[in-house]
Amino acid sequence: MKSIIVLLALCSLVTTNAARGADARWQATVPPVAKDVKTWEAATQRLRDEGYLFGALAVANHLISLFADITSKELAYRTVIQSIDAGYPVPVRDIFIPGDLDLALGEGPEEYQFYNSYYLYKAILSEEKKAGHWATFYYDKIDKENFPKYIFYQAVQAYSKGDLQGALDLLNKALGKKLSEQPKALVVKMTRMLARIHFEKGDYEKALEIYNSFLLKLNPMQPSDWLEAAWAYFHLKKYPEALGLLFNLESKAAAKEFSLEKFNLRSLVYRSTCATPYMDALIESFEDMFKDILDGIKKGDPYEKYPLLATLELPDNAEFNQTRQVVNGLREEAKKTASWSGPVGDLVKYVYRTELLIQQRKLKSLSGEALNKIAQQVLLVSEQMRFLKFDIQRAKYNPRLVFQPISEEKPRSTVADGVRPDEFEIRWMQYGDYWLDERNKLKAIIVDRCYE
């Protein structure tokens, strides 16, 4: 009997020591500055007021994890929804998993927005988790007829099923609501989707009207809008305008987003106009930019050796792109808030430091596969441009072009000469063969040489 008691005591001691070891290794200690909920509230309010979206969302995440009281949770979810509505660029749906608020609809546009948004995100999350009963429960709380964010979600669902016209009708319905009371980021998302659907339907003029009248006038600019509008110009065979919009991607405003797609589009423009010298110059500039990377791929070097790869946007790397965006956003905001003093300043520094550690580890775990995809895409674009150059050279020996007489209907002149009688166009040369008109639009000077 005594031996059994001794054995149990030893087991208890081992278990206790193991637990202590687990505590020391896996459990974080919250610093004293992070224990006062009032400090969290003040930090949240200041970050929200000054527009630090990444920090505000990180604070909200910590609030949900550390505090169980309803007041803190409601503050956290208000912050999350306001950050989304202010343009937070990364999906944060999972943050609503622990949400257990029982909200009553208050008065005013802000309360309407919070109430319906909270239950919409809970409904979508429940639907994704195959919890149909809870999805129905949350959907029933939403103003389905008038809430633009819900109608937009329906449009996204229709689009994902290939119902372009249905998605278009829903978007127009959502945009027909009181836009002055809607978050700007939501209006921009809906409008951008509207332009993309018109593009996919082949209504390039309608798509361009949306880009030129609204999306290309936003401040700050979304560099991808230049690229998407350029594709519409390309399909309309307005090659100078397409190249001009791509030229915007070389500006400082687009420096944070580097897309290989611009090389593909420029190559297609040069092929369409048989612009062999321009194609040669493009290939040369591409290989100068990526020479070390292309050589490294052939030699089997680790991709981490080339920092440029990690800055390239690739749609297949959605999670990697989003995590990198969060890391960059947190770093920038941490620098700007480094001078904050007092308990709020200390708490904000703690949040940025811990959140950066989490996101950097996540980014590192995703980088291997992501860099491999990017490296393969760089190699593919390099080879594609060489094949396109071959197509240009072959086109000059196409009998349908070689033996086609030059007529007044198809003169050898600038590609986009089709100016309507009620329009006029002024051109003057600048360095790089680009010109700038009064509406801040760039246009390249390029000649169709396929008939020479």
Side-chain angles (χ1 to χ4, degrees), residues 129-176:
K129 301 295 182 184
K130 309 298 182 186
H133 170 77
W134 285 108
T136 302
F137 173 78
Y138 292 126
Y139 276 130
D140 286 344
K141 290 179 174 289
I142 300 167
D143 181 4
K144 301 185 186 69
E145 186 60 32
N146 299 304
F147 187 47
K149 199 179 286 187
Y150 172 76
I151 301 171
F152 174 53
Y153 174 67
Q154 285 185 306
V156 172
Q157 294 293 92
Y159 177 81
S160 66
K161 296 174 183 175
D163 182 8
L164 297 184
Q165 188 57 49
L168 205 61
D169 294 340
L170 286 164
L171 284 171
N172 285 320
K173 178 182 177 182
L175 289 166

Side-chain angles (χ1 to χ4, degrees), residues 213-412:
S213 63
F214 179 61
L215 294 173
L216 295 180
K217 294 183 178 180
L218 292 175
N219 185 18
M221 265 298 306
Q222 179 71 27
S224 61
D225 288 336
W226 280 318
L227 183 60
E228 291 175 15
W231 275 111
Y233 275 125
F234 171 78
H235 284 285
L236 290 170
K237 298 185 173 13
K238 294 184 176 182
Y239 305 127
E241 288 84 352
L243 290 175
L245 284 179
L246 291 181
F247 186 68
N248 285 293
L249 294 175
E250 311 305 322
S251 67
K252 290 183 179 179
K256 294 179 183 178
E257 294 186 20
F258 192 101
S259 173
L260 290 171
E261 195 175 347
K262 65 181 181 181
F263 292 101
N264 288 329
L265 182 49
R266 285 179 65 183
S267 299
L268 290 171
V269 170
Y270 297 150
R271 184 183 70 171
S272 300
T273 56
C274 296
T276 306
Y278 290 140
M279 193 68 195
D280 288 336
L282 180 63
I283 292 172
E284 185 178 348
S285 66
F286 182 87
E287 291 185 347
D288 283 346
M289 183 179 296
F290 295 102
K291 182 179 185 304
D292 292 341
I293 293 174
L294 290 168
D295 291 343
I297 293 172
K298 294 169 186 174
K299 291 188 295 184
D301 288 345
Y303 299 138
E304 290 79 4
K305 184 178 176 181
Y306 306 102
L308 178 60
L309 282 176
T311 67
L312 302 181
E313 290 282 344
L314 195 65
D316 288 349
N317 288 337
E319 190 176 5
F320 174 78
N321 296 337
Q322 291 164 1
T323 307
R324 181 185 59 194
Q325 200 169 2
V326 172
V327 169
N328 292 337
L330 287 169
R331 282 175 179 163
E332 289 181 13
E333 291 183 4
K335 291 176 185 175
K336 294 175 182 177
T337 57
S339 60
W340 290 12
S341 58
V344 168
D346 293 339
L347 178 60
V348 165
K349 291 182 183 70
Y350 162 75
V351 169
Y352 277 117
R353 185 171 62 253
T354 54
E355 193 67 21
L356 266 171
L357 285 172
I358 294 169
Q359 296 298 332
Q360 284 170 337
R361 287 181 180 178
K362 181 180 178 183
L363 186 66
K364 188 175 181 180
S365 70
L366 296 169
S367 64
E369 184 180 353
L371 292 179
N372 181 55
K373 289 179 181 177
I374 295 169
Q376 296 307 312
Q377 188 66 22
V378 170
L379 193 61
L380 180 63
V381 171
S382 177
E383 294 300 320
Q384 282 177 337
M385 287 197 293
R386 292 188 175 278
F387 279 116
L388 286 173
K389 179 186 174 182
F390 172 73
D391 277 352
I392 294 172
Q393 293 170 336
R394 187 177 61 178
K396 292 192 174 185
Y397 298 96
N398 185 338
R400 287 179 296 176
L401 297 178
V402 172
F403 297 106
Q404 180 172 338
I406 301 298
S407 67
E408 293 298 324
E409 297 177 1
K410 189 69 181 178
R412 292 172 181 161

Side-chain angles (χ1 to χ4, degrees), residues 159-227:
Y159 177 81
S160 66
K161 296 174 183 175
D163 182 8
L164 297 184
Q165 188 57 49
L168 205 61
D169 294 340
L170 286 164
L171 284 171
N172 285 320
K173 178 182 177 182
L175 289 166
K177 301 300 177 182
K178 296 178 182 176
L179 291 185
S180 59
E181 296 180 0
Q182 304 311 317
K184 178 184 173 183
L186 175 64
V187 175
V188 170
K189 283 181 183 177
M190 293 193 294
T191 309
R192 187 170 286 125
M193 186 176 176
L194 192 72
R196 288 172 179 171
I197 291 176
H198 280 305
F199 179 89
E200 290 192 32
K201 287 170 64 69
D203 297 331
Y204 305 118
E205 294 283 6
K206 288 183 180 178
L208 276 172
E209 184 180 350
I210 295 171
Y211 284 112
N212 289 328
S213 63
F214 179 61
L215 294 173
L216 295 180
K217 294 183 178 180
L218 292 175
N219 185 18
M221 265 298 306
Q222 179 71 27
S224 61
D225 288 336
W226 280 318
L227 183 60

